[in-house]
Structure formats: C-alpha cells, structure tokens
C-alpha cells in the first residue's frame, strides 16, 4: 500500500473516535444510561432525546466503517514484518478487527430502532436500550484477541530495527486485558462491572480511544520506513 494511503487509512479510525464521542454526547449517553434504570425511566430518556438519539446513531452507523480502514492499515504493516507467521497474524488481525468493530453498527441499530416510534411501549424501548449497551460492552474477545495478535506480531519482529517499537506490544497486551471485564457485565446492574461502571465502560473506553490513536500514529510512522519491505 502507498505510504500516504496507509497513513490515511490509519488515521480514519481516529476520525471515527471523534464522531463516536460527539454522537454519545449528542444522544445524552455520556454518562451512560445506568443498567439499573427501570423501563419507564429509560423510555423517558429516549422520548426526551428522540431526534438526537436517531441523529447520533445514524452518525455512528455510517462512520463505523472507518474503523475497518484502520484495521486494514495495521494488517498491511504487520505483513511488512515478513515471514509466514507475520502473514498469518495479519489475517487474524484483519478478521478480529472486523468482528470487533461490527458491534458499533449493531449498537446503533438497536438505539435508532428504540427511538424510531413514539408509540413504542416502555418495555420494548428498555429492551432495545439493553441490547444496545450489552452489544457494545460485552463481546470483548474479538477486540482483546485483536490486540493480542498485534502484540505477538510486533514481538515476532526480531530485527535490529523493528517496524514497531517493542513497547507497543506491551501496550496492546494491556489494552486487550482492560477490555475483559465487559464479558461478565450481564450479571451486574450496579457497581464497577455494570455496563455503566468503571471497569466495563470508563476504563475500556479510555483504553480504546488511546489505543486507536496510538496505533494510528505507529502505523503512519511505520508506513514511511523502508524497514521490512
């Protein structure tokens, strides 16, 4: 891939992050709707912000494919490490990245459907709200394994001047670990393991944002280097 094109793909993920954060603010989902909130209160939240929620969900839905470009750029640079192992890891990263980011599409569908009809019952709105939040925080393994695969690819580069710095591998391992608490959020409506809690929402979302921006910078830098070609 042309270095400028690869850099453009890498930073496309950062554009999505900006849209994602702006959409959450627009929808009134920062802080998140608490998992313990009853059906009537959740439905009232959607009723009060019906237009904003549909606008924010639309923005997320139409822009989440930018993350696929980010994933593709990472795979291109992993391939440049060279060897059969790097090629296999690049395919794994590509597939896991696609699976991990499809949740944004499904999440936005759930929320826009919840806000679509004013006559929808409170119970149905609450159910769709539950679906949206659980979809975005609970399927953690694709993103966790994607981060681990990136880390393994970086560590597999044994040259004196590797394409990525060694610290980036450990960063990816830590990011992958920080996503894991979301796997158990179905058992909690309060506390740090609830979908609005510290360990399931706030820590992972900060880690995710930092990860996307950091990998965009690393990939953009690697794309201009001759090492590995």
């Amino acid at each position: 891939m042309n270095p400028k094109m690869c850099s453009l793909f890498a930073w496309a993920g950062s554009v999505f992050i900006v849209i994602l954060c702006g959409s959450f603010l627009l929808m009134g989902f920062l802080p998140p709707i608490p998992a313990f909130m009853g059906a009537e209160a959740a439905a009232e939240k959607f009723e009060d912000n019906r237009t904003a929620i549909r606008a924010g969900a639309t923005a997320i839905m139409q822009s989440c494919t930018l993350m696929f470009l980010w994933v593709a750029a990472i795979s291109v640079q992993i391939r440049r490490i060279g060897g059969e192992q790097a090629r296999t890891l690049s395919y794994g990263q590509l597939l896991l990245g696609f699976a991990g980011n499809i949740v944004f599409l499904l999440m936005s569908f759930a929320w826009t459907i919840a806000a679509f009809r004013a006559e929808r019952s409170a119970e149905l709105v609450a159910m769709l709200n539950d679906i949206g939040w659980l979809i975005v925080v609970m399927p953690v393994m694709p993103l966790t394994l994607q981060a681990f695969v990136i880390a393994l690819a970086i560590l597999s580069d044994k040259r004196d001047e590797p394409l990525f710095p060694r610290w980036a591998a450990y960063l990816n391992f830590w990011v992958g670990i920080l996503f894991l608490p979301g796997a158990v959020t179905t058992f909690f409506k309060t506390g740090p393991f609830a979908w609005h809690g510290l360990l399931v929402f706030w820590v992972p979302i900060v880690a995710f944002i930092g990860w996307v921006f950091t990998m965009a910078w690393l990939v953009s830098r690697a794309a201009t280097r001759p090492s590995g070609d």
Side-chain angles (χ1 to χ4, degrees):
M1 184 183 288
N2 178 283
K4 290 183 178 180
M5 182 66 71
C6 191
S7 181
L8 183 64
F9 276 32
W11 286 108
S14 302
V15 174
F16 170 68
I17 291 297
V18 173
I19 295 172
L20 178 68
C21 292
S23 297
F24 266 60
L25 287 170
L26 175 65
M27 293 187 292
F29 287 177
L30 281 179
I33 297 175
F36 59 77
M37 183 176 282
E40 294 293 336
E44 184 177 348
K45 180 85 170 177
F46 276 79
E47 179 62 34
D48 293 343
N49 299 280
R50 187 175 305 281
T51 300
I53 289 172
R54 285 183 289 179
T58 299
I60 295 170
M61 187 185 303
Q62 304 307 326
S63 64
C64 67
T65 49
L66 293 172
M67 285 298 294
F68 301 148
L69 302 182
W70 177 80
V71 170
I74 296 173
S75 280
V76 167
Q77 295 309 310
I78 290 176
R79 285 289 300 270
R80 292 182 62 211
I81 292 172
E84 186 66 31
Q85 182 177 357
R87 183 163 59 249
T88 301
L89 291 171
S90 74
Y91 293 147
Q93 193 277 149
L94 189 67
L95 293 173
L96 289 165
F98 178 85
N101 288 294
I102 202 73
V103 299
F104 295 113
L105 182 65
L106 300 176
M107 168 198 77
S108 56
F109 266 122
W111 287 336
T112 199
I113 292 170
F116 186 65
R117 296 186 186 278
E119 67 271 20
R120 210 180 295 279
S121 70
E123 288 75 17
L124 283 177
V125 172
M127 181 182 70
L128 289 164
N129 177 59
D130 290 349
I131 290 171
W133 286 107
L134 290 173
I135 281 175
V136 78
V137 301
M138 196 171 175
V140 298
M141 289 313 295
L143 286 180
T144 291
L145 291 179
Q146 180 193 3
F148 287 176
V149 165
I150 294 171
L152 292 174
I154 293 171
L155 293 176
S156 73
D157 193 346
K158 304 298 184 181
R159 294 167 299 179
D160 293 336
E161 295 185 10
L163 205 57
F164 294 99
R166 193 71 63 185
W167 60 261
Y170 304 117
L171 173 67
N172 273 274
F173 277 130
W174 274 112
V175 167
I177 290 169
L178 291 175
F179 290 148
L180 288 174
V184 299
T185 194
T186 189
F187 298 103
F188 300 90
K189 292 186 178 67
T190 60
F193 290 99
W195 79 46
H196 63 283
L198 178 66
L199 296 181
V200 172
F201 183 80
W202 293 107
V203 170
I205 195 66
V206 171
F208 180 73
I209 291 171
W211 182 48
V212 172
F213 275 94
T214 301
M215 288 306 302
W217 172 68
L218 289 170
V219 168
S220 182
R221 190 182 72 158
T224 63
R225 296 183 57 191
S227 176
D229 284 341

